[in-house]
Amino acid sequence: MRGYDGNRSVSPDLDALLPLSFNITTVLMPCITVIFILAVPVFEENLHAATYYVACDTGDDTNDGVSELHAWKSASKVAKFGFANGDKILFKRGCVWEDVSIKITRSFELGAYGDAAALPQLLGAVRANFRRLPGLQNVFSTSAEIEPSSPVGKEILVVHDQRHGQFYKKVSNIESLGDSGKFYYDLPSRMLYVFPLEGTDLQHDVLIGSKPHIVEFQQIDVERVVIDGLELSFANEYAVGFWYQGSGTKNGSLKIANCLISGNAYQAIHIGGTNTFRDVDIVNNTITANGNEGIYIGYIKGLERGEVVTQRLRISGNVIGGQGFGWRSEGPDSAAGGEGIDIKKGVAAATIDHNTVFDITASYGIGTQSSNVIIENNTVRNVQMWGTTQESNVAAGIYLDAYDNKGPVVVRGNTVTTSNTHGIVIRGDAQLRPRVEIYDNVISVDEPFSPFAFTSQNLTNTIIRNNRTQGGRAGLAVVKPCCRPANVEVHHNDFRNVSVPLVAAQDVSAGVRVYSNVFCFKGVVNAGQKNAIPNNTFSNACASSNSLGPPQQLQVR
């Protein structure tokens, strides 16, 4: 017998230890009998598990699929097959499948095989035949429809021109198709109208979103799902997500690793609603050209509090951004942005480490509304959102807004370089006053933003120490008057090329201590500003280099 691999326990091969004629329930002691009975599903699952192969070039759907020589051909065969718990489905590297949606109703693994360099591509989109629209020389039409994922019809959101590497802009009526690179979708008639870019071959170059999700969890509890080494692109909503957010499923572990996830209209990975996982690992993926967030995780049911990850979340080693990332962003006052990693409420504990988030249209690069989170050794650079000002509540490289108090939020060893946001913003629930520790970070910002900013709601229980910063209006900014400050300490930081040491929209002297920092100013600073925070070192002799290395002579708590 085989035990589980991965996170599952491995049970001993009892058949090899006992004669075949023995009855194990009579030989072993009662307590062992109970353990054996509980383990029966484990053995049963593995006895029925198999590995299936899918090859776009050499496969045939009439094959049994259980070897490379007898692989299936189509992703539709995978979508329709009744898998057993523990099965593996391996797609051939270098192959491309369109119009893919795999429904998760069992514990299984999706992966890759073969020697080609390119990952297997599973696309939630199709190509179509277009015809020129009479009376409109440059407008072409085709019938198109999203696979139903709810009783309400779905708008098409993805029209991607592969020749030009561009997503076409959605307009609200056919009369607005006055320029190339735009499309209009008429939902009642299920007709798509496009004004293509010059030189585009519509039949070959344009992909149209056809599936809401490429990997889609159903309203069924599953124990273990692994998605490893695949490209998941151009879904009309999420690359990985739930059929229905309010399903209330209770699942075991999810691992998404070594994947390329690109061009999906909503979040690349969406784990939310009332569905829960025990453990989630999202590691070593590349997420690019996404419409909205790269990774979005949160409990969503009105004002109700709940948990979407009940034990542990790890997001590590991912590269997120680039290629117009956040192309569906709707501005700083909208919930629809292109944030790289967006952790909402409902995560029991999380580690977010060694990720790179860059070149995104978003309010922030990494954000959390859950406490008991460690954000460490990440790189965040070039976070941009039009209409952002220094008073924007959420404009940040790293955004801390915990609405519970399970444990501290620790932000350490990160590098943040951004010209259109604050470096790190601290908010949080004003009643629960979650603890925040920020240390050993390297931050570079431009005016009018600041390396550290309290923007509203909460001004308590925060330590900012041993950081090195470059640029910005002030070392610390309290942007808006909000609340009574308490237990905030800012010490042993190196603030270079700031205009003033501190800006505050309210009196913070009773609850904010600023001491043992070095402030190097761009210009002349009056004595009153210096006298307001004694016990610091002030200078105008900033180092000529704009580059910052890691903090030196750190005080370790």
Side-chain angles (χ1 to χ4, degrees), residues 1-4 9-11 13 42-43 45-50:
M1 297 183 182
R2 291 184 295 149
Y4 279 93
S9 59
V10 179
S11 301
D13 193 337
V42 177
F43 292 150
E45 177 176 316
N46 279 275
L47 284 173
H48 290 86

Side-chain angles (χ1 to χ4, degrees), residues 407-486:
V409 177
V410 177
V411 182
R412 63 193 181 198
N414 301 282
T415 300
V416 178
T417 306
T418 179
S419 60
N420 198 44
T421 71
H422 298 294
I424 298 176
V425 160
I426 308 100
R427 293 198 346 167
D429 188 284
Q431 303 300 318
L432 296 175
R433 306 200 305 179
R435 292 176 293 147
V436 177
E437 296 186 21
I438 303 171
Y439 58 93
D440 298 358
N441 300 283
V442 176
I443 301 173
S444 179
V445 301
D446 290 348
E447 289 206 50
F449 301 97
S450 298
F452 304 102
F454 291 88
T455 59
S456 69
Q457 299 178 184
N458 179 41
L459 186 52
T460 64
N461 295 343
T462 300
I463 296 175
I464 301 172
R465 63 177 179 84
N466 295 91
N467 301 282
R468 297 190 71 188
T469 78
Q470 175 81 31
R473 183 184 179 194
L476 175 68
V478 179
V479 175
K480 297 178 181 179
C482 69
C483 44
R484 183 178 180 180

Side-chain angles (χ1 to χ4, degrees), residues 212-359:
H213 319 124
I214 298 170
V215 180
E216 183 180 88
F217 288 87
Q218 304 299 293
Q219 294 174 288
I220 298 173
D221 300 345
V222 295
E223 175 54 30
R224 181 173 181 263
V225 172
V226 176
I227 306 167
D228 193 343
L230 302 176
E231 178 178 338
L232 309 173
S233 299
F234 303 115
N236 202 63
E237 293 179 4
Y238 321 127
V240 180
F242 280 88
W243 177 81
Y244 179 55
Q245 291 188 20
S247 297
T249 60
K250 300 185 183 304
N251 306 289
S253 66
L254 170 64
K255 182 177 182 179
I256 304 172
N258 308 309
C259 292
L260 170 59
I261 307 176
S262 67
N264 302 283
Y266 288 172
Q267 294 84 19
I269 299 170
H270 184 285
I271 301 170
T274 60
N275 302 287
T276 67
F277 282 94
R278 182 184 63 248
D279 302 298
V280 174
D281 288 276
I282 302 172
V283 296
N284 300 329
N285 302 284
T286 297
I287 304 175
T288 187
N290 221 61
N292 290 134
E293 296 92 337
I295 300 170
Y296 180 101
I297 299 176
Y299 188 89
I300 306 169
K301 189 180 180 182
L303 299 177
E304 178 181 299
R305 290 181 180 266
E307 287 192 333
V308 65
V309 179
T310 60
Q311 289 191 15
R312 183 186 62 87
L313 166 67
R314 185 183 183 197
I315 301 174
S316 179
N318 302 283
V319 177
I320 304 173
Q323 299 189 61
F325 198 103
W327 49 270
R328 291 195 69 250
S329 295
E330 298 177 359
D333 298 324
S334 171
E339 288 71 36
I341 300 173
D342 196 2
I343 309 304
K344 299 299 188 183
K345 305 169 189 176
V347 174
T351 300
I352 303 169
D353 68 288
H354 295 92
N355 302 283
T356 298
V357 178
F358 72 104
D359 294 355

Side-chain angles (χ1 to χ4, degrees), residues 56 69 112 125 165 174 181 185 206 232 262 267 284 286 350 355 371 380-381 390-391 421 444 483 501 514 524:
C56 65
L69 292 176
I174 198 169
Y185 183 61
V206 173
L232 309 173
S262 67
Q267 294 84 19
N284 300 329
T286 297
N355 302 283
S371 65
V380 179
R381 64 177 186 269
Q390 63 153 338
E391 294 186 350
T421 71
S444 179
C483 44
V514 182
V524 177

